[in-house]
Structure formats: structure tokens, C-alpha cells
């Protein structure tokens, strides 16, 4: 749309397009819900300390933005998100002075710079007005459904106090008048946006028109002034030790670093979005699991190859076979054991029993059946102790093999595959 205004009259290269302003407003509107979501997640973990802050989020956010926006208006000439898009705020003029802006940009910048009174007016539009609108919207969402419940929920109580009388008229305003005010607010913004788009006004917002402030692009003089803020004054150069921890300079440094934190957080968010949306992470996890193969399922009464098992041997043969099996389980072969990725040590595992009704760890009948993420079923007590690393079999084996083997802590006892979430990754089987 910039070419349209150039056809009608002289082209103003410092006037931002409507789409730049709408992008800045969209970014600014995303900050409160994003911070509220992060605070909600943190409150789930530490409710004792953060619950009050979450309940008073709107007030805390308004106070924080009051400090941040005041700092950016005084030092950068624009709001926090406007500085991200290279925009600024300045006093509005009745007529443009392009020749003076080209010849003496520093003088024009100082002449149009926001005064302290203008800064407080802009803070009222940038901070107080959105806070008031959020509160009115929340009240309307609560009070509007109550009007459908009948007069018992909307009438004034008998012998009302001053507070009850005020709340009654406030709720009446929210139910009956505020919807019209809300519609008029958005219609006025749309009208100003269309007028700004076709170069009929200098203001894209009716409230900026009321306070006499307009949005402009930053020029070379603005960037020079911002760069000069970080340099010490020539008459009083501070030492490095005192300037870092000086309360007068620490606050502006922290607030100024937010302009670097915002694009870094956006990049991190987009990277995480790409990571979980693409197949790259899935391919990495698939390659990591290629070396660890799951054993085939074993059905009771059948061997691992599907051949029917031979009948039980006599008592002496059974005892002899158990002793040989215990000897094999006590000292497993490192060649057959899975290898840990980080330490490159063999992982202590147990062999799967021929009878699927037996626990692979204790080799007794399964009690309180619990499935691991690999699909192998154990006794709950056995696999819980195995994942914690304090099962008697592990302790007995690692007494002589410490530093040569991994105990299998946090891993499946049969496959040696790591169990995500530890003991929380176990699932009880209801039979």
C-alpha cells in the first residue's frame, strides 16, 4: 500500500505501513497469555509460592509493563515491542518538514521527542487502557450469563450498603452498556486503520489521536542516540567493578537486555516447534534404538521358537537344571549383553523365562503384574527395585563387577533399554 500514497503525494519514508503496526500489536497481544501460561506451569510445581502471583497476574503484569514501557519510552522513544520492529513514538505535527528532517535529523528528533507529560499519556494508553479492558472483559464473561437466570440474580438487595449499591450499578453497566462500548471501541479502531491505510490521517488509533502522538520509523539519529546510551560520559568514566553492580546502571541494563531476550525466545520457540513437528527427532530416536531389539513374546507352554516344551523332568534333574541356570544368570557374558551408549559398558540384564507367567527377575509367579515400556511384565516390587538400582540381584552382581558393568538402574531388566520416567513409566496390569 505504500505505492498508493506515493501516487497521491510526496512519499514519507518514515511513516510505517499499517501491516507493520498490526504485526507489532499482534506481538504485544501475545505477551500476556504467554507469560500467564509459563506462570501457570510453574504454579503447578510450586503452588505454595506462586499461587498468589497467578491470581494477581493482571496487576503484576501491568506494574511490570509500566516499568518496562516507561524505560523504553524514555530511552528508545517507543514501546518494548515497537523497538523490536524499529518503530518509535513522537509528537504529531500539523505539517511535515522533510527538508529539515533530511538536513538536521538530530535537531528534529530533539524537537519531536516525547516529554515527561507525553510519556505518561502514552503509558495510560499502552498500560492502563489494556488493563482496564481485560478487567471489563472478565467481568462481562461472568455477569452476562447471570442475566439469563432471572431477576433474583440481578436485583438490588434489600437495605443495600454503599458497596452493594456500587456493585449493583457496576454489574448493570457491564450487562447493558459495556457491549455497546466494546463494539464502538473496535469500530473506531477499524475506522482509523482504514483512514491510515489510505493516508487520510496520521494516526492509526483514536487514542493516539487524543494524546497527539504518532508512530514513526526509526532513523539514523535514533540509532546513534541509543548507541550513545551505553557509552560512559566523557567527564566521569566509571570503573568496571562499580558500573556492573551499581544500582543506577543495573536496572537500565536489565531492562535494555529485554530487547535481546525477546528475539532469542522467539527463535527458541520456533526451534522447538520445528523439532517436534519434523521427523528429525523421530529419526534420531529410531537410530538410538536400533541396537536394542525387543525379544519375541513367549507363550506359556511354548519355547521362544514356538516349539512345544518337553514335559517336566524328575526332581533331581530339575534341581540340577536350576543350579546350572542360576550359574548362567549369576555371571552373564559381556558379549551377549547390551552396551550402554555413554559409558560403553555392558548392561547387567536377566534372561526372559520360558514360562511367561514367571517374573524374569525373581523367577517366581508374578504378583501384582506390572508392564514395562518395553512390553515385558514383572512383579511390581521386583521391577520397582530394579529401576531404583537396589534389587538384591543387582547389589550382589555389582559387588564384584563395579566399574566393569552397569547395574541396569533405570533400564528394563530383560532388554536393557532405558525406561523413560523411571518408576513413573511403569503401568499396572489389571487382570
Amino acid at each position: 500500500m505504500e505505492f498508493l500514497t506515493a501516487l497521491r503525494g510526496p512519499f514519507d519514508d518514515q511513516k510505517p505501513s499499517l501491516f507493520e503496526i498490526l504485526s507489532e500489536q499482534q506481538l504485544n497481544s501475545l505477551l500476556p497469555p504467554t507469560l500467564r501460561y509459563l506462570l501457570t506451569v510453574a504454579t503447578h510445581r510450586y503452588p505454595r509460592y506462586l499461587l498468589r502471583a497467578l491470581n494477581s497476574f493482571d496487576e503484576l503484569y501491568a506494574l511490570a509493563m509500566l516499568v518496562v514501557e516507561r524505560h523504553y519510552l524514555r530511552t528508545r522513544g517507543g514501546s518494548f515491542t515497537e523497538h523490536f520492529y524499529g518503530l518509535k513514538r513522537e509528537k504529531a505535527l500539523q505539517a511535515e518538514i522533510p527538508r529539515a528532517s533530511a538536513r538536521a535529523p538530530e535537531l528534529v528528533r530533539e524537537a519531536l521527542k516525547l516529554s515527561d507529560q507525553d510519556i505518561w499519556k502514552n503509558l495510560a494508553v499502552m498500560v492502563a487502557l489494556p488493563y482496564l479492558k481485560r478487567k471489563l472483559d472478565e467481568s462481562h464473561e461472568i455477569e452476562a450469563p447471570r442475566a439469563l437466570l432471572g431477576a433474583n440474580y440481578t436485583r438490588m438487595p434489600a437495605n443495600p450498603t454503599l458497596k452493594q449499591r456500587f456493585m449493583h450499578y457496576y454489574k448493570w453497566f457491564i450487562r447493558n452498556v459495556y457491549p455497546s462500548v466494546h463494539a464502538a471501541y473496535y469500530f473506531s479502531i477499524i475506522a482509523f486503520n482504514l483512514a491510515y491505510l489510505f493516508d487520510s490521517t496520521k494516526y492509526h488509533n483514536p487514542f493516539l489521536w487524543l494524546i497527539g502522538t504518532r508512530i514513526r520509523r526509526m532513523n539514523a539519529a535514533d540509532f546513534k542516540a541509543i548507541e550513545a546510551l551505553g557509552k560512559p560520559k566523557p567527564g566521569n568514566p566509571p570503573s568496571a567493578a562499580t558500573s556492573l553492580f551499581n544500582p543506577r546502571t543495573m536496572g537500565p541494563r536489565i531492562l535494555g537486555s529485554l530487547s535481546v531476550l525477546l528475539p532469542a525466545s522467539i527463535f527458541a520457540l520456533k526451534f522447538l516447534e520445528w523439532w517436534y513437528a519434523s521427523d528429525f527427532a523421530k529419526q534420531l530416536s529410531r537410530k538410538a534404538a536400533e541396537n536394542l531389539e525387543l525379544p519375541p513374546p513367549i507363550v506359556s507352554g511354548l519355547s521362544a521358537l514356538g516349539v512345544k516344551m518337553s514335559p517336566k523332568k524328575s526332581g533331581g534333574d530339575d534341581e540340577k537344571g536350576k543350579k546350572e541356570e542360576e550359574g548362567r544368570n549369576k555371571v552373564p557374558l559381556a558379549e551377549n549383553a547390551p552396551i550402554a551408549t555413554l559409558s560403553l559398558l555392558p548392561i547387567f540384564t536377566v534372561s526372559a523365562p520360558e514360562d511367561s507367567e514367571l517374573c524374569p527377575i525373581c523367577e517366581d509367579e508374578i504378583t501384582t503384574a506390572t508392564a514395562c515400556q518395553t512390553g515385558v511384565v514383572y512383579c511390581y516390587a521386583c521391577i520397582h527395585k530394579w529401576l531404583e538400582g537396589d534389587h538384591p540381584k543387582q547389589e550382589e552382581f555389582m559387588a564384584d563387577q563395579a566399574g566393569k558393568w552397569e547395574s541396569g538402574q533405570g533400564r528394563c531388566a530383560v532388554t536393557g533399554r532405558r525406561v523413560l520416567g523411571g518408576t513413573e513409566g511403569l503401568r499396572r496390569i489389571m487382570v
Side-chain angles (χ1 to χ4, degrees):
M1 282 296 178
E2 290 181 350
F3 73 94
L4 185 60
T5 59
L7 294 177
R8 294 187 174 185
F11 179 68
D12 187 4
D13 58 346
Q14 291 190 6
K15 179 183 177 181
S17 65
L18 179 63
F19 306 103
E20 293 179 71
I21 296 175
L22 294 179
S23 299
E24 180 273 326
Q25 291 177 351
Q26 185 179 11
L27 177 62
N28 191 22
S29 63
L30 290 176
L31 291 179
T34 303
L35 295 177
R36 187 191 292 270
Y37 174 76
L38 295 176
L39 183 60
T40 303
V41 173
T43 304
H44 281 296
R45 302 195 62 174
Y46 307 101
R48 179 179 179 184
Y49 306 101
L50 300 177
L51 185 59
R52 291 184 178 179
L54 181 62
N55 293 335
S56 305
F57 173 79
D58 291 330
E59 289 75 15
L60 294 177
Y61 178 78
L63 290 176
M65 293 308 295
L66 182 66
V67 176
V68 173
E69 300 291 16
R70 182 174 179 270
H71 170 77
Y72 274 83
L73 284 174
R74 293 182 61 185
T75 58
R76 271 74 173 175
S79 67
F80 172 57
T81 51
E82 287 169 356
H83 176 69
F84 178 75
Y85 280 92
L87 304 177
K88 66 176 182 177
R89 296 186 177 217
E90 66 179 20
K91 298 177 183 178
L93 296 176
Q94 296 296 331
E96 299 296 336
I97 46 175
R99 184 174 298 178
S101 301
R103 296 294 180 88
E106 291 82 5
L107 296 178
V108 175
R109 180 184 180 277
E110 291 297 329
L112 301 181
K113 186 178 179 181
L114 298 177
S115 62
D116 291 340
Q117 185 178 2
D118 295 326
I119 289 176
W120 285 110
K121 289 180 181 179
N122 281 271
L123 287 175
V125 174
M126 296 161 53
V127 179
L129 186 64
Y131 169 76
L132 180 61
K133 185 178 180 301
R134 283 196 297 268
K135 286 300 181 182
L136 291 175
D137 289 341
E138 290 179 2
S139 300
H140 183 264
E141 291 178 0
I142 296 174
E143 296 299 330
R146 292 184 179 179
L148 304 176
L149 300 178
N152 293 329
Y153 294 90
T154 58
R155 69 177 58 174
M156 184 179 295
N159 300 322
T161 61
L162 183 60
K163 182 179 179 181
Q164 290 176 340
R165 189 181 298 273
F166 173 78
M167 291 303 298
H168 172 76
Y169 288 117
Y170 171 73
K171 293 177 181 179
W172 178 87
F173 169 80
I174 291 295
R175 291 191 302 267
N176 301 290
V177 181
Y178 179 69
S180 302
V181 175
H182 187 266
Y185 169 79
Y186 279 105
F187 275 122
S188 63
I189 291 180
I190 292 174
F192 269 81
N193 285 341
L194 291 176
Y196 183 86
L197 180 63
F198 292 99
D199 203 25
S200 299
T201 181
K202 303 175 183 178
Y203 312 96
H204 72 282
N205 189 294
F207 299 100
L208 293 182
W209 170 69
L210 290 175
I211 64 176
T213 303
R214 63 177 180 174
I215 305 296
R216 304 287 284 172
R217 288 196 183 108
M218 299 177 67
N219 52 26
D222 298 308
F223 290 108
K224 288 181 181 179
I226 294 174
E227 186 179 357
L229 293 175
K231 297 180 180 180
K233 295 181 179 180
N236 187 19
S239 61
T242 58
S243 62
L244 281 176
F245 302 100
N246 190 357
R248 294 183 178 180
T249 60
M250 184 180 297
R253 284 173 182 266
I254 295 175
L255 294 176
S257 64
L258 294 177
S259 59
V260 181
L261 180 63
L262 179 61
S265 59
I266 294 175
F267 173 77
L269 180 63
K270 289 298 181 181
F271 175 77
L272 292 176
E273 183 181 356
W274 166 81
W275 178 266
Y276 288 106
S278 66
D279 294 334
F280 185 71
K282 297 178 181 179
Q283 292 176 3
L284 286 181
S285 61
R286 192 181 300 114
K287 289 181 179 180
E290 285 179 354
N291 296 329
L292 297 177
E293 298 180 357
L294 294 178
I298 300 174
V299 184
S300 300
L302 297 178
S303 65
L305 298 176
V307 183
K308 191 172 182 180
M309 296 166 53
S310 58
K312 292 185 178 180
K313 301 178 182 179
S314 59
D317 294 336
D318 288 344
E319 292 179 359
K320 183 178 180 181
K322 286 183 178 180
K323 289 181 180 180
E324 292 177 357
E325 187 175 359
E326 289 177 359
R328 289 195 303 269
N329 291 335
K330 187 174 181 181
V331 185
L333 297 177
E335 293 80 4
N336 301 330
I339 304 299
T341 305
L342 298 179
S343 62
L344 300 179
L345 295 177
I347 303 171
F348 176 53
T349 56
V350 295
S351 58
E354 295 181 352
D355 189 355
S356 61
E357 295 181 357
L358 301 181
C359 173
I361 299 177
C362 65
E363 300 179 351
D364 292 332
E365 188 176 353
I366 296 176
T367 57
T368 316
T370 303
C372 190
Q373 294 173 356
T374 56
V376 186
V377 181
Y378 306 89
C379 300
Y380 178 76
C382 294
I383 188 59
H384 191 281
K385 291 180 180 179
W386 189 277
L387 292 178
E388 293 292 336
D390 54 3
H391 194 275
K393 270 191 175 182
Q394 291 172 301
E395 295 177 349
E396 181 182 358
F397 178 79
M398 294 304 296
D400 301 330
Q401 304 293 335
K404 301 178 182 178
W405 286 69
E406 278 201 7
S407 62
Q409 180 180 358
R411 298 177 180 272
C412 174
V414 173
T415 64
R417 198 171 184 180
R418 187 168 296 279
V419 178
L420 300 180
T423 55
E424 296 181 359
L426 301 177
R427 294 294 179 265
R428 303 279 293 275
I429 300 177
M430 306 302 295
V431 181

